[in-house]
């Protein structure tokens, strides 16, 4: 996963990405200094324990998502792949007074996002885990727990995935997300 993220990160060079969708105001000061300087991927020196996820959700967090979380601090990974809308994946950020394990319970963290999806739309969090959203429609991007395939939420049937996956793995999705330079975008992401 780390190599996949490094490859994605190299795409951002020279694109003038501004992360306008992310609020940096409460980010831990050491990370904020990097983000303010335009460095949006900071290699993690600490690791998140996933015991809380297992306790709250009733199953072990899939390994590729664990690797995504423990590779870098970042405000999210985004881009275009098999849809006209920008896919925005969940951030891995430490806020002021957070611990490395706090990211699982943050407002946009995996556990609250999954529970919100379950409560609002009747999503089955034992089968699918929301890992992001589409920027315009705000449809969820869903990780199928048993297979690792990535689905979009069915616009006509919220809480359920579309019939066909958009990627066969989390790595495939990240590895194929396209980020466009500012000169090719009509609006900021």
């Amino acid at each position: 996963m780390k190599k996949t993220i490094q490859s994605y990160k190299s795409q951002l060079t020279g694109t003038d990405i501004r992360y306008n969708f992310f609020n940096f105001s409460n980010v831990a000061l050491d990370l904020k200094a990097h983000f303010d300087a335009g460095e949006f991927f900071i290699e993690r020196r600490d690791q998140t324990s996933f015991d809380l996820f297992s306790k709250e959700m009733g199953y072990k967090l899939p390994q590729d998502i664990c690797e995504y979380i423990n590779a870098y601090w970042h405000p999210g990974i985004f881009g275009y792949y098999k849809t006209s809308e920008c896919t925005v994946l969940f951030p891995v950020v430490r806020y002021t007074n957070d611990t490395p394990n706090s990211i699982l319970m943050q407002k946009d963290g995996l556990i609250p996002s999954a529970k919100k999806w379950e409560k609002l739309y009747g999503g089955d969090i034992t089968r699918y885990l929301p890992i992001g959203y589409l920027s315009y429609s705000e449809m969820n991007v869903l990780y199928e727990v048993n297979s690792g395939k990535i689905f979009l939420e069915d616009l006509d049937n919220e809480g359920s995935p579309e019939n066909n996956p958009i990627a066969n793995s989390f790595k495939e999705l990240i590895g194929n997300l396209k980020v466009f330079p500012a000169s090719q975008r009509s609006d900021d992401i």
Side-chain angles (χ1 to χ4, degrees):
M1 181 58 76
K2 196 167 192 174
K3 288 181 183 180
T4 302
I5 296 173
Q6 286 170 343
S7 176
Y8 171 84
K9 185 174 102 165
S10 70
Q11 248 195 103
L12 298 181
T13 305
T15 59
D16 193 30
I17 297 298
R18 290 188 276 273
Y19 278 92
N20 289 346
F21 62 84
F22 190 83
N23 180 355
F24 292 100
S25 61
N26 293 325
V27 172
L29 292 177
D30 60 323
L31 296 180
K32 188 171 182 346
H34 287 279
F35 295 161
D36 288 347
E39 181 186 353
F40 296 112
F41 291 84
I42 298 97
E43 191 167 347
R44 292 207 41 190
R45 305 267 184 250
D46 53 7
Q47 300 289 286
T48 295
S49 167
F50 301 104
D51 295 337
L52 177 62
F53 183 90
S54 298
K55 180 181 172 187
E56 290 285 324
M57 303 295 285
Y59 61 90
K60 195 173 175 182
L61 187 63
Q63 186 62 33
D64 52 352
I65 296 178
C66 294
E67 291 171 8
Y68 173 88
I69 291 170
N70 280 329
Y72 293 94
W73 295 112
H74 61 82
I77 289 179
F78 61 90
Y80 296 85
Y81 182 58
K82 293 187 178 179
T83 179
S84 60
E85 290 187 58
C86 184
T87 298
V88 181
L89 300 177
F90 71 93
V92 181
V93 174
R94 187 173 21 87
Y95 292 97
T96 304
N97 299 322
D98 271 358
T99 67
N101 296 335
S102 299
I103 65 167
L104 297 172
M105 290 302 291
Q106 293 168 354
K107 178 184 161 202
D108 295 325
L110 288 176
I111 296 170
S113 293
K115 289 183 176 185
K116 178 181 174 184
W117 181 64
E118 178 184 46
K119 182 179 179 179
L120 291 177
Y121 304 112
D124 184 351
I125 59 175
T126 62
R127 293 189 58 213
Y128 297 96
L129 182 63
I131 59 169
Y133 61 92
L134 296 183
S135 61
Y136 180 72
S137 66
E138 297 186 359
M139 289 185 339
N140 285 294
V141 176
L142 303 171
Y143 181 101
E144 187 175 43
V145 175
N146 289 335
S147 71
K149 292 180 180 181
I150 309 299
F151 291 82
L152 296 178
E153 187 174 25
D154 186 340
L155 188 58
D156 297 324
N157 189 15
E158 291 176 312
S160 298
E162 290 184 343
N163 290 331
N164 297 312
I166 61 165
N168 288 315
S169 70
F170 198 29
K171 284 183 181 181
E172 177 189 326
L173 176 63
I174 294 169
N176 286 292
L177 287 173
K178 300 297 178 222
V179 179
F180 299 103
S183 62
Q184 294 179 355
R185 292 191 316 259
S186 59
D187 297 312
D188 290 331
I189 304 290

